[in-house]
Amino acid sequence: MSAIASTAARHADTELDRLLAELAAYRSCDPPRLSLPPRAFTSPELYELERTRVFGRSWMLVAHRDELASPGDYVSLTIAGEPVVVTRDEDGALHAMSPVCRHRLMPLVEPGHGRADDFTCPYHLWKYRLDGRLKGATFMKGNPDFDPAACRLPGFAVEEWQGLVYVNLDAGAPSLASRLAPAAEELAPFRMDEMVQVVTVEEEWRVNWKLTLENGYENYHVMGFHPETLDPFMPGRGDMELHPIDGGALWARMPFAATLPRGAVPLPREHRANATVMLTFPTGGLITFGDQITWLSFIPLSIDRTQVRGGVLMPPALLDGLDPQEVAEEQTAAATAVNEEDRIGLEAVQRAVGSRFAGRGHLSPKEPGVLLFYRALAEALVPEETPGRA
Ligand code: FES
Ligand SMILES: [Fe+2]
């Protein structure tokens, strides 16, 4: 290594160490009530660490069951640069796997969604089944070292919870459902498991993924970003009553003042007067709007680009007698309006994170959720506490 390269490498280590030490402080029972260091949004070394320590082992919300309703349905995406495809096979089982051809690395399917009987590699036409097993490999009989039965796409863990589909790149990860039991209890009156997805949201925002999540863990910004769309019936001044679950997940309630004209699901008073939010670290979230639910997941594409996947869920009874097309258009307009406000605001923040004069800001008492997010981030990134820090 040249002298310049080794000096640069030492500098990077020092900077990453400094960032991790600052993050580790959020694990304390008296964490700094400060926003993240701006370098947390721009450091390539930190992003590399996030790829392994956060996204390599977390349950990621990626889809709703309705996007994978029939055999052959698939959803293809990348999770922090790692290609993933989720499929429904002929027997109705869900699978998640790496869609990178085992021959010479060709992606078997582009990001998006669709339906397929199998995946044929566009390069030399090897074919894979919906569960990842090899179905056939052209002109391979003459290679005695090649065992088709042993050739399959690496599988990931996949789990459906209340209709939401989660993937974990760590195939041996412990199940998610038991961890989310407290949230399931809170959400039980909504009968989410019976809901249907009337709108699918797919957007790309030019932001670091952590900016989207900080924003999702508080309602303080509703006053600024959503004065006309959300604030009139979900006021940012209202308190968010937090119920943390371990591992950075939480459910929360906040005041909800809209009247529910249709009321397809009989909700108890506290659920009519409040919106329930559920967040699962690192990127998944949902919010109830009366008897319908919007879910969103902010999945990093790179250090400064985030894919937003989500959907609007409704009870089937709410759709009785309505034109599905009209419902979809109305709901798309509502979801898009709020998302646009967040996107425009957060992309502006992203443009400022590299400022030489940017610093850490003091947090409001209205941002305890942000500290929970920082704590979960610190627990994932700094498994051992840094010496000298509580
Ligand atoms: S890279 Fe897929 S068949 Fe060759
Ligand atoms: Fe928002």
Side-chain angles (χ1 to χ4, degrees):
M1 193 186 280
S2 72
I4 292 175
S6 78
T7 308
R10 254 199 327 273
H11 178 72
D13 282 351
T14 317
E15 181 177 89
L16 182 60
D17 287 347
R18 200 165 52 232
L19 254 177
L20 292 178
E22 284 168 328
L23 280 173
Y26 290 116
R27 300 180 54 139
S28 148
C29 51
D30 184 22
R33 275 163 284 183
L34 292 173
S35 60
L36 288 177
R39 279 294 282 156
F41 303 108
T42 59
S43 161
E45 294 80 17
L46 187 73
Y47 181 65
E48 276 310 304
L49 209 59
E50 288 170 353
R51 291 187 66 205
T52 51
R53 294 191 182 169
V54 178
F55 299 105
R57 51 173 84 145
S58 296
W59 283 103
M60 297 288 295
L61 173 56
V62 296
H64 184 263
R65 178 184 55 207
D66 287 0
E67 297 171 72
L68 295 152
S70 306
D73 284 350
Y74 69 84
V75 172
S76 166
L77 70 158
T78 59
I79 296 177
E82 189 60 61
V84 175
V85 66
V86 188
T87 61
R88 175 84 62 189
D89 75 11
E90 301 82 353
D91 299 326
L94 276 178
H95 300 274
M97 62 202 119
S98 164
V100 177
C101 185
R102 305 305 284 167
H103 177 222
R104 277 182 24 221
L105 310 178
M106 181 76 192
L108 298 169
V109 56
E110 290 299 309
H113 52 85
R115 186 171 290 182
D117 294 333
D118 50 41
F119 295 112
T120 302
C121 179
Y123 204 171
H124 313 95
L125 307 183
W126 288 23
K127 257 189 211 310
Y128 299 84
R129 296 178 205 278
L130 295 167
D131 63 1
R133 282 179 298 151
L134 187 75
K135 198 168 176 180
T138 49
F139 296 98
M140 287 300 291
K141 287 208 170 69
N143 182 343
D145 297 333
F146 177 66
D147 174 8
C151 180
R152 67 177 304 156
L153 303 173
F156 305 135
V158 61
E159 198 166 311
E160 189 185 316
W161 183 84
Q162 305 271 328
L164 299 177
V165 178
Y166 288 80
V167 168
N168 196 319
L169 299 186
D170 175 2
S175 161
L176 175 74
S178 54
R179 221 182 80 201
L180 295 185
E185 202 176 311
E186 164 69 9
L187 290 167
F190 296 92
R191 298 198 221 149
M192 187 174 157
D193 199 35
E194 297 167 20
M195 287 189 177
V196 292
Q197 181 153 299
V198 295
V199 167
T200 300
V201 174
E202 281 182 300
E203 299 180 6
E204 189 179 318
W205 296 4
R206 300 197 71 79
V207 292
N208 179 273
W209 70 278
K210 295 188 294 298
L211 290 181
T212 64
L213 271 298
E214 294 183 324
N215 185 63
Y217 273 77
E218 49 93 348
N219 69 340
Y220 187 24
H221 75 276
V222 170
M223 299 181 283
F225 279 3
H226 311 294
E228 283 160 24
T229 48
L230 287 183
D231 202 54
F233 64 93
M234 205 179 273
R237 282 166 185 77
D239 281 340
M240 215 167 156
E241 173 201 311
L242 297 187
H243 299 264
I245 308 170
D246 71 322
L250 63 83
W251 66 268
R253 281 186 191 163
M254 51 197 184
F256 177 76
T259 41
L260 302 175
R262 290 171 284 202
V265 175
L267 291 173
R269 202 199 62 80
E270 71 269 23
H271 284 95
R272 289 197 309 271
N274 291 283
T276 295
V277 172
M278 187 193 78
L279 293 156
T280 49
F281 181 83
T283 70
L286 65 82
I287 182 165
T288 66
F289 292 96
D291 49 12
Q292 66 185 64
I293 288 176
T294 297
W295 70 269
L296 289 170
S297 192
F298 301 92
I299 306 166
L301 289 163
S302 66
I303 190 168
D304 58 0
R305 286 186 305 128
T306 296
Q307 182 183 21
V308 183
R309 288 208 98 247
V312 177
L313 311 177
M314 284 188 167
L318 201 54
L319 298 165
D320 276 353
L322 298 180
D323 174 6
Q325 186 65 28
E326 269 176 33
V327 172
E329 280 168 17
E330 184 186 298
Q331 293 301 324
T332 301
T336 307
V338 175
N339 281 348
E340 265 308 271
E341 291 168 343
D342 281 318
R343 181 187 68 76
I344 290 167
L346 294 176
E347 288 186 349
V349 176
Q350 176 71 31
R351 289 194 292 277
V353 292
S355 161
R356 284 185 296 129
F357 302 98
R360 302 177 73 181
H362 295 283
L363 296 177
S364 158
K366 278 188 64 60
E367 294 168 286
V370 174
L371 282 175
L372 282 177
F373 172 66
Y374 292 169
R375 172 190 282 270
L377 185 69
E379 283 172 350
L381 287 173
V382 203
E384 299 294 323
E385 288 185 1
T386 304
R389 302 250 173 185

